Amino acid sequence: MRRISTTLVVLCLASAAFAKDKPRVTVQVVETETSERQSSYVVPGTDAKSTTTCNKSASETVYGKDNGRTVKEAVDTDSTSTCTTTARPATPPTTQVRSIRQENVEAIMADGTHVTLWCQQGLRKCVSLPPGSYSAEIDGNTVWMYIRDLSGKETKIKYKAVTVEPSAAPIREDGAA
């Protein structure tokens, strides 16, 4: 057991050593728009249903034989009973609407590229980013924006780049436009 624990620790440390830290860039958020995606679905209705239950006023237990086995049966002795019928009306189908919050962030990347970043609430957290500069990591079309909460804890929020517009003026190596 100790050997397995030691092996797992070594593997975790090795994978952490080989993991690539993505370089952080500064992203300028210009505007954020919150929207909702709505989807609807139908909940089927139910059929009408009636249920009748009867209570017998008096009964007697009778024993008999059936193929050599003793059989016990309740028999109504005064043949009067009280029955109650409960009716459940049919219900029509209903349409339900589900809303999912989305964030669309207009931003300018460090190289001057204008992008629209998109995030949809659900399995992940989405945040409406106020205008300003943010530290970010880029992995393909995924942008991990870093934000700080009131306690100062840094959190990564995942956005997808849905539109990309190259900068109007190319930036030269000396920094001039």
Side-chain angles (χ1 to χ4, degrees), residues 1-16:
M1 186 66 172
R2 182 176 166 97
R3 183 176 288 184
I4 292 173
S5 298
T6 304
T7 303
L8 288 175
V9 169
V10 169
L11 287 174
C12 287
L13 291 174
S15 65

Side-chain angles (χ1 to χ4, degrees), residues 26-28 107-115 164-171:
T26 300
V27 175
Q28 181 70 34
I108 302 171
M109 305 306 283
D111 65 357
T113 303
H114 290 246
V115 296
V164 178
E165 297 175 20
S167 62
I171 299 175

Side-chain angles (χ1 to χ4, degrees), residues 2-171:
R2 182 176 166 97
R3 183 176 288 184
I4 292 173
S5 298
T6 304
T7 303
L8 288 175
V9 169
V10 169
L11 287 174
C12 287
L13 291 174
S15 65
F18 290 114
K20 292 181 187 177
D21 282 338
K22 303 258 186 261
R24 287 198 187 185
V25 296
T26 300
V27 175
Q28 181 70 34
V29 172
V30 178
E31 180 182 8
T32 300
E33 182 180 306
T34 301
S35 61
E36 286 188 5
R37 185 185 84 167
Q38 294 187 337
S39 60
S40 60
Y41 58 97
V42 175
V43 177
T46 60
D47 294 332
K49 183 178 180 182
S50 295
T51 306
T52 302
T53 56
C54 295
N55 295 325
K56 297 180 180 180
S57 59
S59 63
E60 185 177 298
T61 303
V62 177
Y63 294 92
K65 292 281 186 180
D66 180 28
N67 292 332
R69 289 186 349 204
T70 302
V71 178
K72 176 179 160 183
E73 187 69 36
V75 177
D76 184 11
T77 56
D78 67 4
S79 71
T80 61
S81 50
T82 306
C83 295
T84 305
T85 301
T86 305
R88 185 188 73 202
T91 59
T94 57
T95 301
Q96 302 290 321
V97 177
R98 179 177 295 160
S99 295
I100 301 171
R101 187 175 134 226
Q102 298 180 337
E103 297 294 335
N104 295 288
V105 177
E106 299 297 327
I108 302 171
M109 305 306 283
D111 65 357
T113 303
H114 290 246
V115 296
T116 300
L117 304 174
W118 171 83
C119 181
Q120 178 173 290
Q121 192 77 29
L123 298 176
R124 72 176 69 125
K125 178 180 179 179
C126 288
V127 175
S128 181
L129 298 173
S133 295
Y134 295 86
S135 179
E137 289 179 3
I138 300 171
D139 184 10
N141 276 346
T142 302
V143 179
W144 294 92
M145 301 289 280
Y146 286 88
I147 61 167
R148 292 199 180 273
D149 61 17
L150 290 175
S151 69
K153 181 181 174 190
E154 189 172 60
T155 305
K156 289 192 323 185
I157 306 294
K158 183 179 180 180
Y159 292 87
K160 287 287 185 186
V162 292
T163 62
V164 178
E165 297 175 20
S167 62
I171 299 175

